[in-house]
Amino acid sequence: MQQEYSRVKEILTSDDPQIIRMTAENFRITELPEQIAKYLAERIVDKNNGIRDSISTTLILNKNPHIPEIVVPYISSPDAATRNLAGEILLAKGSEAVDAMIDYLPKGNDDDHKFIIDLLGLIGDKKAVPSILKVFEETEDDNVILACIEALGNLKAEEGVEKIISAYSKNELFWATVMEALGKIGGDKAVAFMLEKYDEVDELTKFSIVESLGDVGNQDAVDLLNEVISNYNGPLAWAAFESLMKLRSKYDYDIHEGSHLVALANEIFAEGDLKYKIYASQCYKAFADRSVMRNAIKNYGINEKLDEKLESIFFQYSDNFFMEIVDSLSENDEHTGKILELVKNLIANGKAESFFKLEQVEQSKFSNFLVSNLDHHDEMIRLLSMELLFFLVPETALLFIDKMAEDPSPWNKLRLLEIVQNSREPQVVEAIKKLAEDEDEMVKETANNILLTI
């Protein structure tokens, strides 16, 4: 056996990268003897990226339980690449590596403590909490303190709340991290502290508090968030809006959708990030305001989740939707197909009355828009425009039936025949006769079959 170990060591210390990689790969499934695991680990310092990648993959995939304790000393390497590769292996091992990292903490320096604690926070095994708290109590290094605070937050360590709060007064640089950690941990004490300190912290820390309250807040937090959106605009107000919507969804808190929320929803749809727009779409009463509806329509088609939420609002406020649709379509060419499909769904589900409530001039603008799209390069937009003309303004559709009959898509022509097959209007009969001579056999056959019934 010792001879075999020696032979493997000889191979792994050779100058042939291909042989080293092949040898490492052979040990990915079969459990490594501890001695060979040590030989492999020694090569993670290699300058050859192919060797390093192959070795690290083997150490990650192999089930030998001693690999973490073999790898963990390499986090003390002065070479950043080696240190980071050791971290990747330990992180990939997850909870299996926690004991080895905890055992190494007393041997490392401040840089090692920070590195290990960062990894422990990312792995998320609560077994690490007592050891992190011990380092937290003993260290005077600011970077290590920040790592401890962040890790305890990631671990949702309620037992760390007192210690985290005590760090707040030691350095303003800790403020944002303290609030982020307390926001992840939650609990009455954490929330009370965030609310207490809100007015004295900088804007970045305010933002951390506001975002955190959406996950851990209570009725007191609702009061603060309402105050923020009443007195601020821009990203801080958007974050407060998001947190309010989260709390309403989670606890059914009563949130007054007054004029300030309407204005904020409008601002978010006009300028905000996607995640805020998704929450703004939950502020239903805001859509009674036509300017909010207008901005919402402009955002339709950019994201599937947002579309789903907006569709239910468009159905609920279909009158406002149709009042704004014409101008929105002219400005929203990129998403014309999606919006025309939405209009079709609204009409198919009983919302045509909202269109007929429009002033005649608005109806005409919409029908003109549809007519202009009968020449669109997109086959689906031409089809939807044709269908909507027949559904909403059939007299206008008949005026342009010749153009529809010349559509380059046989499928669009077949759909036209399906729509008009029971009509005996002279324009329709002429169009069917024209299609009975179409070059596409399916179109020709369908048109001739209809003519037989006329």
Side-chain angles (χ1 to χ4, degrees):
M1 182 66 72
Q2 191 58 45
Q3 287 180 335
E4 291 180 9
Y5 289 171
S6 298
R7 175 60 183 151
V8 171
K9 183 176 184 180
E10 183 180 337
I11 293 171
L12 292 174
T13 54
S14 72
D15 295 325
D16 190 331
Q18 186 174 355
I19 292 178
I20 296 171
R21 289 199 302 270
M22 288 176 60
T23 303
E25 289 165 8
N26 287 336
F27 286 110
R28 287 183 181 176
I29 298 175
T30 305
E31 185 172 313
L32 279 169
E34 187 174 348
Q35 189 59 53
I36 293 179
K38 289 179 180 178
Y39 295 156
L40 283 169
E42 289 171 2
R43 294 313 301 263
I44 69 173
V45 302
D46 203 286
K47 300 301 180 185
N48 184 296
N49 287 333
I51 291 175
R52 291 157 58 85
D53 290 344
S54 184
I55 295 291
S56 64
T57 301
T58 297
L59 292 173
I60 287 169
L61 294 177
N62 198 272
K63 299 302 181 184
N64 185 305
H66 297 288
I67 289 174
E69 65 190 59
I70 292 170
V71 170
V72 73
Y74 289 92
I75 66 155
S76 297
S77 170
D79 177 59
T82 299
R83 187 166 60 250
N84 291 335
L85 190 57
E88 289 177 21
I89 295 167
L90 294 168
L91 185 60
K93 289 292 184 181
S95 292
E96 298 172 30
V98 169
D99 285 336
M101 287 190 281
I102 288 173
D103 290 343
Y104 193 76
L105 276 173
K107 304 170 188 175
N109 58 24
D110 286 334
D111 289 338
D112 299 335
H113 291 163
K114 181 188 182 315
F115 196 88
I116 289 174
I117 289 168
D118 284 341
L119 289 173
L120 291 172
L122 292 172
I123 290 171
D125 191 322
K126 284 183 174 289
K127 183 196 302 185
V129 170
S131 298
I132 294 172
L133 283 171
K134 187 173 187 301
V135 173
F136 199 174
E137 291 168 0
E138 296 173 353
T139 188
E140 295 182 0
D141 184 277
D142 286 349
N143 290 326
V144 177
I145 292 172
L146 284 168
C148 290
I149 295 169
E150 186 173 354
L152 291 170
N154 289 337
L155 292 165
K156 301 187 187 304
E158 294 181 16
E159 58 268 58
V161 168
E162 291 276 7
K163 188 66 182 172
I164 292 170
I165 288 175
S166 70
Y168 176 88
S169 59
K170 295 180 180 178
N171 192 328
E172 287 189 19
L173 295 176
F174 299 163
W175 286 5
T177 307
V178 165
M179 295 305 176
E180 287 172 11
L182 293 176
K184 291 175 181 177
I185 298 169
D188 290 343
K189 183 172 288 189
V191 171
F193 185 78
M194 288 191 285
L195 296 177
E196 175 192 340
K197 298 298 181 182
Y198 179 83
D199 287 331
E200 74 180 41
V201 297
D202 56 50
E203 292 302 306
L204 176 62
T205 308
K206 278 185 167 69
F207 197 89
S208 296
I209 293 173
V210 164
E211 282 200 313
S212 298
L213 290 176
D215 297 317
V216 300
N218 51 27
Q219 184 60 58
D220 290 337
V222 170
D223 295 339
L224 173 66
L225 294 170
N226 271 316
E227 183 182 331
V228 171
I229 63 174
S230 296
N231 296 302
Y232 287 84
N233 53 25
L236 183 61
W238 304 343
F241 185 95
E242 176 188 16
S243 291
L244 271 175
M245 294 300 114
K246 283 183 178 180
L247 292 176
R248 179 168 70 174
S249 174
K250 190 184 297 185
Y251 300 114
D252 198 29
Y253 285 141
D254 182 30
I255 296 171
H256 302 294
E257 295 189 10
S259 59
H260 62 292
L261 272 179
V262 172
L264 190 57
N266 208 6
E267 182 184 317
I268 288 171
F269 277 119
E271 305 174 35
D273 295 338
L274 174 62
K275 68 172 184 172
Y276 299 127
K277 291 176 180 178
I278 290 173
Y279 280 101
S281 67
Q282 297 176 21
C283 188
Y284 275 57
K285 292 180 183 177
F287 289 85
D289 185 290
R290 286 180 56 184
S291 63
V292 177
M293 178 64 73
R294 188 180 311 126
N295 279 321
I297 292 172
K298 291 176 186 176
N299 283 276
Y300 186 75
I302 65 173
N303 175 267
E304 188 174 337
K305 185 175 180 180
L306 178 59
D307 287 352
E308 184 180 329
K309 291 184 176 297
L310 289 177
E311 282 169 17
S312 63
I313 293 167
F314 296 153
F315 271 83
Q316 183 171 345
Y317 292 96
S318 59
D319 287 359
N320 277 4
F321 173 82
F322 277 102
M323 287 178 187
E324 298 300 329
I325 190 62
V326 178
D327 290 336
S328 297
L329 275 169
S330 63
E331 298 173 5
N332 204 25
D333 187 64
E334 184 181 351
H335 305 127
T336 293
K338 286 278 293 181
I339 293 184
L340 289 180
E341 188 174 357
L342 171 64
V343 172
K344 179 182 173 181
N345 289 337
L346 283 164
I347 292 167
N349 287 278
K351 297 298 182 180
E353 187 61 32
S354 293
F355 174 79
F356 294 118
K357 287 180 183 178
L358 295 176
E359 297 290 337
Q360 188 60 47
V361 65
E362 293 297 314
Q363 292 187 35
S364 297
K365 283 172 68 176
F366 187 59
S367 63
N368 289 340
F369 177 81
L370 296 175
V371 169
S372 71
N373 278 290
L374 293 175
D375 290 321
H376 200 281
H377 64 84
D378 188 299
E379 175 182 330
M380 184 56 64
I381 290 177
R382 296 197 307 272
L383 175 62
L384 288 165
S385 297
M386 176 183 73
E387 290 178 327
L388 288 171
L389 280 168
F390 274 105
F391 294 164
L392 297 174
V393 281
E395 64 281 1
T396 302
L398 290 177
L399 294 175
F400 293 92
I401 193 168
D402 284 346
K403 182 183 286 289
M404 299 174 192
E406 295 172 354
D407 194 290
S409 166
W411 302 110
N412 285 5
K413 293 173 184 174
L414 287 169
R415 176 59 177 145
L416 172 61
L417 288 168
E418 181 183 359
I419 292 171
V420 302
Q421 61 183 321
N422 295 319
S423 173
R424 298 298 179 262
E425 294 286 342
Q427 305 100 309
V428 172
V429 174
E430 287 304 313
I432 295 173
K433 287 179 180 179
K434 183 177 181 179
L435 290 170
E437 299 175 358
D438 195 84
E439 62 184 21
D440 184 90
E441 288 299 323
M442 288 181 64
V443 173
K444 181 190 296 185
E445 181 182 350
T446 303
N448 277 302
N449 287 337
I450 294 172
L451 286 175
L452 292 174
T453 68
I454 295 175

